[in-house]
Amino acid sequence: HSFPTRRSSDLRPSPTALLNPMCDPIFKAIFTQNTKESALALNDFISTMLGRKVVNLQLEPNEPVVETLSQMQMRFDVSVTFDDGECADIECQCRKNESEYDYSVRSEVQVARLLNNNAKRGSNWNSGKVYQITVANFEFEKDDKSAFAWYTMRSDSGHSLGNRLNVIVLDLVKIKENIGT
């Protein structure tokens, strides 16, 4: 097999940059090292994205268990559980074009798997909220000019269900447009 070689521009977005955080291995390394700095970075990032203070996080395996042979295997970039039982998958998508595949569908499948894995046995359907957080290097929703989008399940009239499923997208293309770079 021949493997594609990485161009230096993939790893270094500018000549003075040390590493490109949009490359999966570097993105994962920023948040998953067994260091105080890495734990603080992950905690601060999630707290900022959710708009609330997250106190304690536990890194989880990034490959959720499959229940049946027909179930799709997936891998999360960074998977965490909060001290209150909620959990999140943080994804870095460095593709330049979302049209390579339908990322919105992928987000729904990932957040549904998180909820399925987080749901506890019992009759009250009680489980913590789950968050699929994406840092997207492509324009996620072309008709929306906002760089930050939070999706939940709502009816046409705006009524929400249990607010357990949350998909959050940080659109880097729109951030760059908004700051004029």
Side-chain angles (χ1 to χ4, degrees), residues 41-123:
L42 179 59
N43 204 321
D44 286 349
F45 176 77
I46 291 175
S47 292
T48 300
M49 294 300 289
L50 299 182
R52 66 180 172 92
K53 182 73 175 157
V54 175
V55 180
N56 291 313
L57 298 172
Q58 173 69 43
L59 284 172
E60 299 293 339
N62 64 347
E63 288 189 33
V65 176
V66 292
E67 303 280 328
T68 67
L69 292 175
S70 63
Q71 192 175 23
M72 178 186 291
Q73 178 65 47
M74 63 180 57
R75 180 182 300 249
F76 298 141
D77 283 351
V78 178
S79 185
V80 296
T81 300
F82 309 160
D83 57 349
D84 63 1
E86 295 182 350
C87 60
D89 160 41
I90 300 96
E91 294 289 318
C92 169
Q93 291 298 312
C94 59
R95 287 178 162 76
K96 298 286 187 196
N97 189 347
E98 194 268 344
S99 66
E100 294 177 32
Y101 64 95
D102 193 347
Y103 191 78
S104 58
V105 172
R106 177 180 171 177
S107 295
E108 284 182 314
V109 169
Q110 286 178 309
V111 76
R113 179 70 60 85
L114 276 173
L115 184 62
N116 183 50
N117 290 349
N118 197 38
K120 304 297 182 236
R121 182 175 288 198
S123 60

